[in-house]
């Protein structure tokens, strides 16, 4: 749900990527404690989600058409976060036990063979290499009434005008599906808190 109640600037996002050109945010209320909800986000597997597997398959088609591609797919029973880190090129920036989670990414997602870079947190802070973007996806679980407000935010910063132009076209195509995955992830985490 894109709702003004969730239109907040997460402190963790401001710490890691205060400047950005693109931002999406989604949230939902979950009838569970924040620590339980935060753990549920980390434990979601693709089998818990309805949209992610077909979307990942479609997104991987261009890379699979390139000879020698080693495109990897998400394991149905491994946590989605693990698949993002090991198979898609994301990396952990911040992981507070039972709290905020921030995953970074950098590279050229618009390329036929997507060119992702793996950076340390310090490298990420300083990264500004022309021809690339850097971004983050963050989750936050905060007490709200008798439950939790679960929020996710994605930010992207293009390092130069050319990469901004390239990413803008890419984002117009992928953003609706990216948002669908975020909604799906939050819903799966909410369901998993009730198991």
């Amino acid at each position: 749900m894109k709702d003004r109640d969730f239109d907040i600037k997460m402190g963790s996002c401001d710490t890691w990527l205060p400047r950005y050109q693109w931002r999406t945010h989604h949230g939902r209320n979950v009838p569970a404690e924040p620590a339980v909800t935060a753990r549920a986000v980390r434990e979601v597997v693709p089998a818990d989600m309805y949209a992610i597997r077909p979307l990942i398959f479609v997104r991987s088609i261009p890379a699979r058409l390139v000879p020698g591609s080693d495109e990897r797919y998400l394991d149905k029973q491994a946590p989605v976060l693990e698949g993002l880190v090991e198979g898609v090129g994301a990396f952990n920036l911040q992981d507070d036990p039972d709290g905020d989670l921030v995953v970074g990414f950098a590279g050229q997602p618009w390329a036929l063979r997507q060119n992702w870079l793996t950076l340390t947190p310090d490298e990420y802070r300083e990264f500004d290499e022309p021809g690339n973007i850097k971004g983050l996806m963050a989750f936050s679980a905060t007490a709200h009434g008798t439950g939790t407000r679960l929020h996710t935010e994605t930010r992207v910063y293009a390092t130069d005008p050319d990469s901004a132009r390239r990413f803008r076209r890419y984002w117009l195509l992928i953003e609706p599906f990216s948002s669908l995955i975020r909604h799906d992830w939050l819903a799966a985490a909410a369901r998993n808190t009730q198991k």
Side-chain angles (χ1 to χ4, degrees):
M1 148 172 55
K2 282 191 178 181
D3 182 285
R4 68 176 176 220
D5 289 342
F6 296 108
D7 187 12
I8 59 173
K9 281 196 170 187
M10 293 171 57
S12 298
C13 293
D14 289 340
T15 297
W16 291 104
L17 193 62
R19 292 177 43 217
Y20 53 90
Q21 295 106 329
W22 295 271
R23 173 182 179 244
T24 64
H25 52 94
H26 309 280
R28 71 180 301 127
N29 292 328
V30 179
E33 295 177 4
V36 171
T37 304
R39 284 193 299 273
V41 166
R42 291 158 171 82
E43 294 168 358
V44 168
V45 298
D48 294 331
M49 300 171 70
Y50 301 124
I52 195 168
R53 292 188 63 78
L55 291 176
I56 293 295
F57 175 79
V58 169
R59 186 172 183 254
S60 72
I61 289 173
R64 288 186 292 119
L65 295 175
V66 175
S69 173
D70 66 346
E71 183 74 18
R72 289 166 278 185
Y73 302 95
L74 295 175
D75 178 338
K76 283 195 289 189
Q77 296 307 320
V80 174
L81 279 171
E82 185 179 302
L84 290 175
V85 171
E86 294 180 5
V88 182
F91 42 87
N92 286 323
L93 292 173
Q94 178 179 337
D95 190 353
D96 301 332
D98 302 332
D100 287 358
L101 171 69
V102 183
V103 176
F105 50 90
Q108 300 170 341
W110 56 81
L112 188 59
R113 288 181 74 175
Q114 294 180 335
N115 181 21
W116 294 110
L117 306 170
T118 300
L119 306 173
T120 67
D122 287 339
E123 290 170 337
Y124 179 85
R125 284 186 199 279
E126 301 300 320
F127 185 77
D128 202 26
E129 186 177 313
N132 293 281
I133 56 97
K134 72 176 180 179
L136 61 75
M137 177 177 62
F139 290 92
S140 174
T142 57
H144 179 72
T146 59
T148 297
R149 178 164 285 158
L150 179 59
H151 183 261
T152 183
E153 183 168 326
T154 301
R155 292 182 180 185
V156 178
Y157 169 75
T159 57
D160 59 62
D162 184 56
S163 59
R165 197 165 35 256
R166 289 172 182 257
F167 185 77
R168 186 176 299 111
R169 290 192 298 262
Y170 173 79
W171 191 242
L172 283 172
L173 176 66
I174 199 169
E175 191 279 329
F177 304 106
S178 175
S179 288
L180 180 59
I181 288 172
R182 302 305 187 270
H183 281 291
D184 197 12
W185 197 332
L186 296 182
R191 286 192 301 273
N192 288 353
T193 65
Q194 303 306 304
K195 290 182 178 178

